[in-house]
Amino acid sequence: MKKLLTTGFFALMIAGMTSCSVQKQNKVTNADLPNKKEVLEVAERANRYFMNKWPDPGKEIVGKKVWPSNLWTRAVYYEGLMAIYKVDPKKEYYNYALDWSQKHNWDMMRGTYTRNADNQACGQTYLDLYEIDGKKHPERIKYVKMSMDSMIASGKSDDWWWIDALQMGMPIYSKLGRITGEKKYFDKNYEMYAFTKYKHGGNGLYNPKDKLWWRDKSFVPPYKEPNGEDCYWSRGNGWVVAALARTLEETPKSDPHYQEYLQDYKDLLSALVPIQREDGFWNVSLHDPTNFGGKEMTGTALFVYGMAYGINNNLIDKKTYLPVITKAWNAIVKDSVQPNGFLGWVQGTGKEPKDGQPLSVNKEPDFEDYGLGCLLLAASEVYQLK
């Protein structure tokens, strides 16, 4: 009975919020678009804070452990830096990314033949720099290609057992496919994506009913949140949004799996609209606002990135999503980005709502770089809205 009541109440709440949001959407016009200069100022301010704190991009990250600076958290930052560089091509951004890549010899964290997507995520920036300089530097693509080729040769497809891995790995395959023109990279990308979607955890980590993703097999039913709902972690679903947006950007529409990526992307975004918080953020637990409920920047920024990308590329309805984006972006700027560029309300590393809690505007997470990467990704697409 408790399950039925909880689920029924949640469904009614979603329906009501959806109706309310639709009514508000009709009032939004281009006049509500974030000011382009202000968007770049926010990005520059936050990035300046970080670059001043880390003048040597190759310096190891010392916390509970010592990490090389091409681990996934820093790789996400450079993804964001490359994205903002495309709309605001400051030489210092390019130099910072180049220095970082050179200090790691353009190789994966823990070696070329690692199978872990977190260790491979740095390859996305290597490929961006390879293209920026007109493909004149084969060393920039060499180890990325060797790493992905080894994955293909193995015949295994079950490496992405947690949804964060989709964002770390999928864009590498799609970028390589476009750069090289070799279909095998697109094929492997889908093969691994499909295993995560349909097989991991028994029946896959995607729930077509709710159009959201469980973080890994630890969170598939019968696991429940305190309110009886499924556990859908905000940043985890944010990684999926980013993965699909970045994959769609690189994958030709003629690819046999393009339409599935597109539908999954649209479905996931549609599930986010009615559960946006009144203040513009999303809760860390998307279907349980009582489980460490409150502002959280990283998941919110990734949703903004994915939605703004969709509008900019005519994939989703502007009238529906622009109000959602504007509300979320304004919340990030007002409540998260501090005058000195520090980012508040950033959940630390982990895999579920309780990790890194409690959050606050001045609490420094265990790793601050990926939060900035999420912000820069969002800024790069919000800037392009028109």
Side-chain angles (χ1 to χ4, degrees), residues 40 43 79-89 93 376 379-380 383:
L40 290 186
E79 290 173 44
L81 187 65
M82 289 292 93
I84 206 69
Y85 175 79
K86 290 177 181 178
V87 298
D88 187 22
Y93 296 170
L376 296 179
S380 73
Y383 175 82

Side-chain angles (χ1 to χ4, degrees), residues 317-330:
D317 179 54
K318 181 178 179 180
K319 188 176 181 181
T320 299
Y321 287 96
L322 183 58
V324 180
I325 293 168
T326 302
K327 187 175 183 179
W329 176 257
N330 288 341

Side-chain angles (χ1 to χ4, degrees), residues 22-231:
V22 169
Q23 292 174 15
K24 292 179 180 179
Q25 285 157 13
N26 294 329
K27 300 179 182 179
V28 175
T29 68
N30 279 16
D32 298 293
L33 288 172
N35 180 276
K36 291 184 181 297
K37 289 184 179 180
E38 292 177 0
V39 171
L40 290 186
E41 187 280 324
V42 166
E44 196 281 332
R45 188 190 342 151
N47 191 61
R48 175 59 51 197
Y49 175 88
F50 181 81
M51 289 178 68
N52 286 342
K53 188 171 181 178
W54 294 90
D56 177 4
K59 183 180 180 181
E60 291 180 327
I61 302 169
V62 180
K64 292 181 180 179
K65 296 173 63 176
V66 178
W67 299 90
S69 71
N70 62 343
L71 82 164
W72 73 266
T73 67
R74 193 60 54 90
V76 170
Y77 160 68
Y78 282 101
E79 290 173 44
L81 187 65
M82 289 292 93
I84 206 69
Y85 175 79
K86 290 177 181 178
V87 298
D88 187 22
K90 285 182 166 60
K91 188 68 172 176
E92 61 184 315
Y93 296 170
Y94 168 88
N95 289 340
Y96 197 59
L98 182 64
D99 190 11
W100 174 73
S101 303
Q102 290 174 332
K103 287 183 174 178
H104 293 291
N105 194 35
W106 306 95
D107 204 354
M108 309 291 102
M109 179 181 161
R110 306 200 189 287
T112 306
Y113 299 107
T114 178
R115 299 191 62 85
N116 189 301
D118 285 350
N119 298 338
Q120 298 166 335
C122 52
Q124 296 185 47
T125 295
Y126 303 162
L127 294 177
D128 284 341
L129 290 168
Y130 173 72
E131 290 202 281
I132 286 171
D133 285 333
K135 305 180 182 179
K136 299 175 183 177
H137 301 278
E139 73 278 5
R140 299 181 183 182
I141 196 174
K142 176 181 176 181
Y143 295 117
V144 182
K145 194 172 185 300
M146 288 171 62
S147 184
M148 298 305 107
D149 286 347
S150 72
M151 298 283 286
I152 294 172
S154 74
K156 289 178 81 273
S157 57
D158 60 351
D159 294 273
W160 296 343
W161 53 266
W162 72 114
I163 58 175
D164 315 35
L166 300 181
Q167 195 279 335
M168 308 300 160
M170 290 181 73
I172 300 180
Y173 285 97
S174 56
K175 282 176 181 287
L176 274 176
R178 179 181 54 75
I179 291 170
T180 66
E182 295 184 62
K183 185 174 178 291
K184 65 179 181 179
Y185 296 113
F186 294 118
D187 291 345
K188 188 65 176 181
N189 202 26
Y190 179 75
E191 179 186 319
M192 295 182 69
Y193 174 76
F195 199 103
T196 303
K197 180 182 176 182
Y198 296 114
K199 295 185 179 181
H200 271 308
N203 295 306
L205 299 182
Y206 177 63
N207 185 351
K209 177 178 175 290
D210 290 333
K211 301 177 181 178
L212 294 168
W213 295 69
W214 295 293
R215 196 270 179 179
D216 59 56
K217 68 178 182 180
S218 302
F219 298 97
V220 303
Y223 184 96
K224 296 294 179 185
E225 289 285 76
N227 71 345
E229 293 292 330
D230 283 8
C231 180

Side-chain angles (χ1 to χ4, degrees), residues 33-34 276 280 282 300 303-312 316-318 320-332 378 381-382 385:
L33 288 172
Q276 184 180 28
W282 277 266
T300 298
F303 298 152
V304 169
Y305 166 67
M307 291 178 184
Y309 173 83
I311 289 178
N312 289 332
I316 58 176
D317 179 54
K318 181 178 179 180
T320 299
Y321 287 96
L322 183 58
V324 180
I325 293 168
T326 302
K327 187 175 183 179
W329 176 257
N330 288 341
I332 290 171
E381 290 295 336
V382 169
L385 289 170

